[in-house]
Amino acid sequence: MSWDWQFYCNDTATGEAVAGCFGPGGKEQTYLQWMLNAWGWTLSVSLLALVLALVVGSLIGIARTAPNKGLARFGEAWTELFRNIPLLVQVFLWYHVLPALIPSLRDALSPTVLVVCALGFFTSARIGEQVKAGINTLPRGQRYAGLAMGMTLPQTYRFVLLPMAYRIVIPPLTSESMNIVKNSAVAFAVSIPELAQFAQQASEETSHFEEIFIPVTLLYFISAFAINRIAKVIEARVRIPGQAGGK
């Protein structure tokens, strides 16, 4: 089997070779530039969705452990709703159904924002479950100790419970952070120009299936592995001796 990698230096419109594999002044785009731009879209969607998932998931995890029954029920309902609907279905709901029901969303939000919301809320249900588990793992005395010191309940969560809970759930949060990079591939379904769409369209145009899918797979691996390494560094820095595997 002989592989031809030279097509990455070809212009996507004319098919002619471009010196240096990068079009001058952005007037021409090679397949290499296309792939790198698609990687940038994948990283952007993944990181924005991850931030949204961490924020919303943390709030949902807190709500599910709060003494207020209304908050706890809301957190349970959120988790069941977003965890049990397939991600691809949620993407189509955000992209096609919500703008039809609320026309102002069609003009106010770009397709990228809608996909970020779908991916972020889907992952927030899983992160909320993990944050809840982390908080429930802690001895109840820590909550009571914070309240006995004169802290309000929000302050007890902020300064006592959450710092310990996050340390406990860093490993599963790392897995979810890596999964969100892989799950970002569903964005191709609504024409976001990320890696999955590049792989599908470029392979059809060039018939270089192996030469396209091998680098795309490596870029997904590099992205997820980078998140894994960053999380490991964070875990090592915040580890408390004697707890959560600390020494």
Side-chain angles (χ1 to χ4, degrees):
M1 178 185 296
S2 60
W3 290 342
D4 177 18
W5 302 93
Q6 294 297 321
F7 81 94
Y8 273 106
C9 293
N10 293 346
D11 183 85
T12 58
T14 65
E16 298 179 355
V18 176
C21 289
F22 288 91
K27 295 181 179 179
E28 299 171 332
Q29 183 185 44
T30 63
Y31 284 97
L32 178 59
Q33 288 175 285
W34 185 5
M35 183 175 68
L36 294 178
N37 289 337
W39 188 24
W41 276 101
T42 292
L43 293 177
S44 299
V45 169
S46 300
L47 293 177
L48 290 173
L50 177 58
V51 171
L52 179 62
L54 287 172
V55 172
V56 177
S58 296
L59 294 175
I60 294 300
I62 292 170
R64 294 181 67 189
T65 60
N68 185 296
K69 291 185 178 180
L71 282 177
R73 288 172 181 169
F74 172 79
E76 294 286 347
W78 180 282
T79 301
E80 293 301 320
L81 175 65
F82 287 99
R83 187 176 59 180
N84 293 317
I85 299 177
L87 176 57
L88 189 58
V89 174
Q90 293 192 37
V91 169
F92 277 105
L93 287 174
W94 277 91
Y95 189 77
H96 294 291
V97 177
L98 281 181
L101 296 176
I102 310 174
S104 59
L105 289 179
R106 191 180 303 276
D107 299 325
L109 301 178
S110 67
T112 303
V113 173
L114 295 175
V115 169
V116 166
C117 289
L119 185 55
F121 289 156
F122 172 80
T123 310
S124 73
R126 304 173 66 88
I127 291 178
E129 189 76 31
Q130 293 157 5
V131 172
K132 173 192 172 184
I135 294 174
N136 287 339
T137 300
L138 301 175
R140 287 188 176 182
Q142 292 196 13
R143 183 194 300 254
Y144 299 143
L147 296 173
M149 292 175 63
M151 293 184 182
T152 62
L153 184 61
Q155 288 174 331
T156 301
Y157 272 96
R158 167 65 179 84
F159 297 107
V160 179
L161 301 180
L162 289 179
M164 291 297 300
Y166 280 129
R167 287 173 168 88
I168 295 172
V169 300
I170 283 179
L173 288 182
T174 301
S175 297
E176 291 303 328
S177 300
M178 296 170 66
N179 284 337
I180 211 168
V181 174
K182 295 179 288 183
N183 289 337
S184 68
V186 301
F188 87 94
V190 290
S191 301
I192 303 298
E194 45 72 62
L195 278 174
Q197 189 195 56
F198 160 77
Q200 182 181 36
Q201 188 170 341
S203 61
E204 292 176 354
E205 290 182 5
T206 65
S207 297
H208 290 284
F209 295 97
E210 295 86 356
E211 294 93 327
I212 288 175
F213 279 95
I214 289 175
V216 166
T217 301
L218 288 175
L219 290 178
Y220 274 115
F221 171 78
I222 290 171
S223 304
F225 187 71
I227 290 177
N228 178 275
R229 292 299 91 191
I230 292 172
K232 288 295 183 182
V233 171
I234 295 173
E235 183 179 9
R237 287 184 176 274
V238 302
R239 181 177 297 157
I240 297 176
Q243 299 220 9
K247 296 180 179 179

